[in-house]
C-alpha cells in the first residue's frame, strides 16, 4: 500500500478485498440458535438485556437460509444429528459453526448409545466453547474468537473442508477457508508453563485410545534439583497444545479497491 | 526414599461438566491439588486443545515435598 498511499482524496481508503469482505462478514453474523438442551438457556440469556444492549450483539435468526452461523447448544442425539446436518446444508455460504457446551463438544456426561459424541462428527466446527453450560460471557468469547478466525480467512482461494472426526476421506461438498495458519488460543492466565521441578519424570506418552497402552516408563529422582525450585528444568513438551508450526500462508494481495475506483 | 510422582493427569474440558466433585474430594493435604478456578474464556479452535495436561493447569506455585 505504500505506493498508492496518500495519492487520493482523504475519503478514499485503500485496502484489499480480503480485509473488506472479512470485516463485513465478521461484523454481520447472523447466528441460527440451535438450542437442544440447557445450553440453549444460556444462549437465550446471552441475547437478553442482561448481557447485550440492543443493537450490539448478534441477533438470532430462526431460519437456516438466512443464517451464516450455527450455534449448536446442547446434547446432540443421534436422532437429531441428520436434522442438524440438513439444516447446516440449508445455510448459505459462507457459514460457520460454534459448538457450545460439553455435550456438543464431546458428548459431555452422556457417553451413551443415543448421544452423538461430538457434533464435529456431522458438521465442521470452527470454535469449541467448553462449559456445562457456558456462561454468556464464554459464548461471547467464542464469538470473538470466531471473528478473529473470519478476519484471517481468504475469500478467493479456499480449500476443501473435511470433518476431522470422520476421517480425511470424508470430504464435504462445500469449500471453506481452511483453519491452517491460525495460532493456538492462549488459555487465560498466561502461558502457565509450569514445571514439576522436584522430580524429573520420564513421562510416558498418553495412552492412545486406539492402540494398546504403552509400558510404564521409569521415573528417576534428580539429585540436587530440589533446592528451592530454582533449577528451571525444562517443561514437558506440549506437542498437542503448542502453536501450529505450519507457516502462515501469505495473504494474497488483491487489487485494491481504490485502483478500481480510480479507473472508473 | 520411595517417592510417588504423578505421571500424567489429563483434564478434558470438553467432557467435564464442572460439577466440582473432584476438587471436593481431592485428598492432598494441606493444600488441595485440584481447585476450581473462575476462568470462563475457554473457547478453542480445535478439540485437541481442550485437553489440558499437567503443565497447563499448574499455577506456578512452588511445590513443597511432604514425606507423610
Amino acid at each position: 500500500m505504500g505506493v498508492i498511499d496518500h495519492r487520493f482524496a482523504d475519503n478514499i481508503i485503500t485496502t484489499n478485498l480480503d480485509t473488506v469482505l472479512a470485516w463485513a462478514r465478521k461484523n454481520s453474523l447472523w447466528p441460527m440458535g440451535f438450542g437442544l438442551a440447557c445450553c440453549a438457556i444460556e444462549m437465550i440469556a446471552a441475547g437478553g438485556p442482561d448481557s447485550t444492549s440492543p443493537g450490539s450483539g448478534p441477533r438470532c435468526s430462526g431460519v437456516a437460509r438466512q443464517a451464516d452461523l450455527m450455534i449448536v447448544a446442547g446434547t446432540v442425539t443421534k436422532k437429531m444429528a441428520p436434522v442438524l446436518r440438513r439444516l447446516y446444508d440449508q445455510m448459505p455460504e459462507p457459514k460457520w459453526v460454534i459448538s457450545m457446551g460439553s455435550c456438543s463438544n464431546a458428548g459431555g456426561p452422556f457417553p451413551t448409545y443415543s448421544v452423538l459424541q461430538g457434533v464435529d462428527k456431522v458438521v465442521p466446527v470452527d470454535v469449541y466453547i467448553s462449559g456445562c453450560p457456558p456462561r454468556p460471557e464464554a459464548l461471547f468469547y467464542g464469538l470473538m474468537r470466531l471473528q478473529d478466525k473470519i478476519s484471517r480467512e481468504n475469500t478467493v482461494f479456499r480449500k476443501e473442508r473435511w470433518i476431522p472426526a470422520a476421517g480425511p476421506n470424508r470430504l464435504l461438498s462445500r469449500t471453506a477457508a481452511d483453519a491452517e495458519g491460525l495460532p493456538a488460543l492462549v488459555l487465560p492466565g498466561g502461558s502457565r508453563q509450569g514445571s514439576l521441578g522436584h522430580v524429573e519424570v520420564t513421562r510416558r506418552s498418553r495412552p492412545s485410545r486406539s492402540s494398546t497402552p504403552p509400558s510404564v516408563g521409569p521415573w528417576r529422582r534428580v539429585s540436587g534439583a530440589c533446592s528451592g525450585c530454582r533449577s528451571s528444568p525444562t517443561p514437558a513438551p506440549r506437542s498437542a497444545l503448542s502453536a501450529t508450526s505450519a507457516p502462515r500462508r501469505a495473504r494474497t494481495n488483491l487489487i485494491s479497491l481504490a485502483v478500481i475506483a480510480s479507473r472508473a | 526414599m520411595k517417592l510417588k510422582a504423578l505421571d500424567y493427569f489429563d483434564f478434558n474440558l470438553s467432557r467435564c461438566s464442572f460439577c466440582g466433585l473432584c476438587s471436593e474430594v481431592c485428598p492432598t493435604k494441606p493444600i488441595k491439588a485440584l481447585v476450581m478456578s473462575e476462568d470462563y474464556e475457554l473457547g478453542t479452535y480445535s478439540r485437541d486443545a481442550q485437553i489440558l495436561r499437567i503443565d497447563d493447569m499448574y499455577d506456578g506455585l512452588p511445590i513443597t515435598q511432604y514425606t507423610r
Side-chain angles (χ1 to χ4, degrees):
Chain A
M1 299 299 163
V3 182
I4 56 176
D5 220 3
H6 302 295
R7 292 189 58 181
F8 305 105
D10 287 340
N11 55 352
I12 293 179
I13 300 171
T14 59
T15 179
N16 54 14
L17 196 57
D18 272 1
T19 310
V20 173
L21 287 181
W23 169 77
R25 282 171 180 173
K26 78 174 186 179
N27 287 312
S28 66
L29 285 173
W30 271 54
M32 183 184 67
F34 209 98
L36 293 168
C38 43
C39 281
I41 305 298
E42 293 294 313
M43 187 177 63
I44 294 164
D50 283 346
S51 300
T52 59
S53 61
S56 69
R59 284 289 168 268
C60 277
S61 156
V63 188
R65 297 189 188 278
Q66 295 176 354
D68 54 0
L69 165 66
M70 176 189 273
I71 302 176
V72 184
T75 314
V76 185
T77 55
K78 285 182 181 172
K79 193 153 187 169
M80 198 64 189
V83 183
L84 189 142
R85 177 65 207 216
R86 175 175 293 177
L87 283 171
Y88 174 77
D89 288 338
Q90 287 178 0
M91 287 164 58
E93 290 281 348
K95 50 190 173 183
W96 299 275
V97 176
I98 283 181
S99 169
M100 177 183 179
S102 295
C103 286
S104 57
N105 283 347
F110 308 112
T112 60
Y113 64 95
S114 60
V115 173
L116 192 71
Q117 299 299 304
V119 77
D120 52 359
K121 286 183 174 10
V122 287
V123 290
V125 177
D126 291 294
V127 175
Y128 299 85
I129 305 170
S130 63
C132 190
R135 287 193 57 84
E137 294 92 339
L139 178 60
F140 291 145
Y141 180 78
L143 280 171
M144 286 188 286
R145 294 288 75 75
L146 181 68
Q147 285 182 333
D148 293 346
K149 188 173 185 175
I150 293 170
S151 65
R152 291 191 203 98
E153 277 183 354
N154 200 321
T155 48
V156 175
F157 299 104
R158 319 183 100 187
K159 285 186 177 177
E160 288 284 331
R161 185 101 183 263
W162 47 276
I163 302 176
N169 295 324
R170 182 82 178 274
L171 277 176
L172 291 179
S173 58
R174 55 169 291 217
T175 59
D178 54 332
E180 291 176 3
L182 289 174
L185 278 183
V186 177
L187 287 171
S191 62
R192 294 203 182 173
Q193 277 271 352
S195 57
L196 305 172
H198 295 268
V199 180
E200 182 185 348
V201 176
T202 308
R203 250 167 236 242
R204 62 174 186 248
S205 59
R206 287 183 68 247
S208 59
R209 298 180 182 87
S210 59
S211 62
T212 58
S215 62
V216 176
W219 56 270
R220 57 193 169 86
R221 181 179 171 83
V222 178
S223 61
C226 199
S227 59
C229 288
R230 294 174 202 278
S231 58
S232 71
T234 58
R238 308 171 66 217
S239 59
L241 285 173
S242 62
T244 56
S245 62
R248 187 177 300 178
R249 283 180 301 121
R251 176 177 294 176
T252 313
N253 252 347
L254 297 175
I255 306 168
S256 64
L257 291 179
V259 174
I260 301 173
S262 65
R263 284 175 184 168
Chain B
M1 186 178 69
K2 282 193 172 181
L3 204 64
K4 283 187 177 179
L6 187 61
D7 219 3
Y8 62 89
F9 185 83
D10 294 343
F11 174 63
N12 196 345
L13 276 175
S14 60
R15 187 62 89 172
C16 179
S17 66
F18 301 93
C19 60
L21 282 177
C22 58
S23 66
E24 189 176 335
V25 301
C26 182
T28 60
K29 290 176 181 178
I31 302 171
K32 281 180 181 294
L34 290 175
V35 289
M36 300 289 283
S37 72
E38 296 180 353
D39 300 334
Y40 57 88
E41 296 179 333
L42 298 171
T44 51
Y45 289 130
S46 71
R47 205 166 138 178
D48 295 337
Q50 297 229 325
I51 299 174
L52 302 181
R53 310 302 161 94
I54 291 180
D55 296 330
D56 303 318
M57 292 181 284
Y58 179 50
D59 54 355
L61 291 176
I63 298 175
T64 313
Q65 195 78 50
Y66 295 101
T67 53
R68 52 179 300 189

